[in-house]
C-alpha cells in the first residue's frame, strides 16, 4: 500500500478555499456517518479524516490536485448503497460526496439520450425518462437510494439486464476528473465508433479507482406501452432454473427473469407484512416481466410463457402484482430480520451452468454453520448468495465464510464464471480477485492503475493492491 500523509491543518485550509467552509466537515458526527456504507460488520468500518461536498467538476478537479500535492487519499461516495465496502475510506483521508451534483442537464428527444450530473439518484433518471415517454433501462433494486455515478462506477446490473444489458450498455459518454485532477470527456452519443481506445468503458466498472465520474450521457429506449408480470411458483430450484433457456430460445425477449428461493419468500413476506404471499410456505418464485409495443404480441407471449412454466413443473402460474416485485426488491433488506451481520455474494456463471452452480452451492453449504438463501437475476446467470452470521463468533464466521467462498469461487471459475456479476470488488473481495484473476490480466490492470494514478490517490485498498 502507498504511504500517505496525515490530513494537516494546511491541507484543510486549502480544501476550504476550494469548496467553501460549510462543505468541509471534520466534526465527529459527520465522520462517524461516513465510516461505512451498507456494511454492518464493525470490523470493516473506517473513519475518514474529512468529508467534503464539492459543487461541480471544477471544484472536484482542484480537490484532486490538492490530494496529490499533499499525498492524501480520496474515496468517492455516491448513494452509499454498495455492498463490497467500496465507499469506505479504508486508508482514511477524504471522503468526497457527490450529492451536490444532482442536476439533469438535458433530455434530447430526437437523439434519445439524457445528460445528467453523476450525483442524480437512479430513480430520478428513470422518472425523468418516463415523463418524456422513454425508458432508462438501468434498474438496480437499490434505484431509490443509489446514484447514477455509483451505478457507472460499479457497472451495476439489475432487473432489466436480460433484455437491455447492464449499466455499461446504457452509456454513450462520461465526464471524469482524472486521478491527477484533469477534467476529461470520454465517448459521444454515437451508435458506432472505432476511433481509438474505448476509454469510457474502461472507467465504467473501475469503482472510483481510475477517475471521479462527474457527468454521464445515457441512452434512452422507447417505452413499451404493454406490460405483464408473471409469477411462476416451483418446488425445486432446478425446475425454476430450467425455464430460462426455454424462454430465451422461444424469442420471448423478457425484460426480467428473477428468482427468489423459499427462504427469501418467507423472510420478505414477513418483512413487508404481506400475509397473502402465494405458496409462501414452500414456493420458489420466478418473476418474468414481458413488455411489448403490441397488445396481441403480449397475449401471445404470455400464452407461451404459461406453457413453458407448466412444462418445467410450476405448481402455479399467476399474474404478479407490485407486492411480488416489492418482495424481490427487499430480499437484501429483509435479512436484517434474521441477522445483523450477513454477506451477499454475487457470482456469475454462463446461463447454461446455473442449475449446476445452484446445486453445488446448496450441497456445499450443508458443511457450514450458516443458513443460506439465494436470490438471483437468473436471466443473466447472476446469483446472490446470502449468508447470515447469526450468533457465530467473529473467528468462526470469518474462517467458515472464507472456506465456503473459496469453494464456490473455485467451482464458478472452473465453469467459466467470475466472482462478481454486478456488485464489484471493493475492499471486500480484493484478495479473492487477486487470487482468481489470471496473472497476465491482473498485471495489465495494475499497469493501467499506476499509469493513470501515479500517487495512488483514488480509492486505495479497492479492487486489487496496486
Ligand atoms: C437493497 C440493495 C439492493 C441492491 N440491488 C442491486 C442490484 O439489483 N444490482 C446491482 O448491480 N447492485 C445492487 N445493489 C448494490 C448497489 O446499490 C450498487 O452497487 C450501486 O451501483 C452503488 O451505487 P451508489 O451510488 O450507492 O455507490 P456507492 O455505494 O456510494 O459507491 C460504490 C462504489 O462506486 C464508487 N463511486 C460512487 N460514485 C462514484 C463516482 N461518481 N465516480 C467514481 N466512483 C464512484 C465508490 O467509490 C465505490 O467504490 C444493491 C444494494 C442494496 C443495498
Amino acid at each position: 500500500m502507498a504511504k500517505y500523509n496525515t490530513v494537516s491543518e494546511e491541507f484543510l485550509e486549502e480544501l476550504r478555499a476550494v469548496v467553501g467552509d460549510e462543505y468541509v466537515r471534520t466534526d465527529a458526527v459527520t465522520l462517524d456517518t461516513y465510516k461505512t456504507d451498507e456494511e454492518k460488520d464493525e470490523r470493516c468500518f473506517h473513519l475518514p479524516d474529512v468529508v467534503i461536498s464539492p459543487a461541480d467538476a471544477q471544484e472536484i478537479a482542484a480537490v484532486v490536485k490538492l490530494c496529490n500535492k499533499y499525498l492524501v487519499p480520496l474515496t468517492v461516495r455516491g448513494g452509499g448503497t454498495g455492498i463490497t465496502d467500496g465507499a469506505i475510506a479504508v486508508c482514511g483521508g477524504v471522503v468526497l460526496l457527490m450529492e451536490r451534483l444532482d442536476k439533469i442537464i438535458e433530455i434530447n428527444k430526437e437523439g434519445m439520450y439524457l445528460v445528467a450530473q453523476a450525483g442524480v439518484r437512479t430513480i430520478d433518471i428513470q422518472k425523468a425518462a418516463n415523463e418524456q415517454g422513454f425508458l432508462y433501462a438501468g434498474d438496480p433494486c437499490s434505484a431509490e437510494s443509489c446514484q447514477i455515478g455509483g451505478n457507472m462506477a460499479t457497472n451495476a446490473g439489475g432487473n432489466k439486464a436480460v433484455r437491455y444489458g447492464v449499466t455499461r450498455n446504457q452509456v454513450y459518454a462520461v465526464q471524469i476528473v482524472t486521478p491527477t485532477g484533469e477534467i476529461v470527456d470520454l465517448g459521444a452519443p454515437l451508435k458506432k465508433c472505432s476511433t481509438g481506445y474505448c476509454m469510457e468503458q474502461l472507467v465504467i466498472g473501475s469503482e472510483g479507482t481510475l477517475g471521479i465520474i462527474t457527468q454521464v450521457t445515457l441512452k434512452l429506449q422507447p417505452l413499451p406501452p404493454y406490460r405483464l408480470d408473471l409469477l411462476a411458483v416451483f418446488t425445486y430450484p432446478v425446475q425454476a432454473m430450467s425455464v430460462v433457456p426455454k424462454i430465451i430460445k422461444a424469442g420471448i425477449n423478457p425484460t426480467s427473469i428473477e428468482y427468489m428461493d423459499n427462504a427469501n419468500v418467507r423472510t420478505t413476506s414477513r418483512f413487508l407484512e404481506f400475509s397473502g404471499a402465494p405458496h409462501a410456505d414452500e414456493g420458489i418464485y420466478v418473476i418474468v416481466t414481458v413488455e411489448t409495443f403490441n397488445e396481441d404480441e403480449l397475449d401471445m407471449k404470455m400464452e407461451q410463457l404459461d406453457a413453458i412454466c407448466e412444462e418445467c413443473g410450476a405448481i402455479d402460474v399467476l399474474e404478479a402484482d407490485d407486492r411480488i416485485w416489492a418482495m424481490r426488491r427487499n430480499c437484501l433488506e429483509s435479512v436484517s430480520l434474521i441477522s445483523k451481520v450477513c454477506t451477499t455474494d454475487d457470482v456469475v456463471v454462463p446461463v447454461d451452468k446455473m442449475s449446476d452452480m445452484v446445486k453445488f452451492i446448496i450441497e456445499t453449504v450443508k458443511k457450514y454453520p450458516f443458513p443460506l438463501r439465494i436470490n438471483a437475476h437468473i436471466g443473466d446467470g447472476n446469483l446472490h448468495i446470502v449468508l447470515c452470521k447469526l450468533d457465530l463468533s467473529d473467528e468462526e464466521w470469518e474462517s467458515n465464510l472464507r472456506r465456503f467462498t473459496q469453494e464456490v469461487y473455485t467451482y464458478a471459475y472452473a465453469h467459466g464464471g467470475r466472482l462478481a456479476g454486478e456488485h464489484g470488488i471493493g475492499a471486500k473481495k480484493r484478495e479473492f480477485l487477486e487470487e482468481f484473476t489470471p496473472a497476465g490480466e491482473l498485471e495489465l490492470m495494475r499497469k493501467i492503475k499506476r499509469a493513470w494514478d501515479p500517487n495512488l490517490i483514488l480509492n486505495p485498498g479497492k479492487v486489487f493492491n496496486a
Side-chain angles (χ1 to χ4, degrees), residues 37-38 75-83 86-87 98 118 139-142 145-159 207-208 211-214 329 332-333 377 384 422-423 459 462:
D37 46 16
E38 279 291 325
T75 300
V76 190
R77 183 183 175 106
T81 67
I83 31 198
M98 294 296 295
D139 188 28
C141 289
S142 51
S145 318
C146 60
Q147 296 177 0
I148 196 69
N151 294 171
M152 299 291 135
T154 54
N155 187 26
N159 301 320
E207 302 187 44
I212 300 173
I213 299 162
T214 48
R329 289 185 191 279
L332 196 54
E333 302 288 359
H377 306 292
H384 296 323
E422 58 175 20
H423 294 163
N459 217 358
K462 308 295 165 59

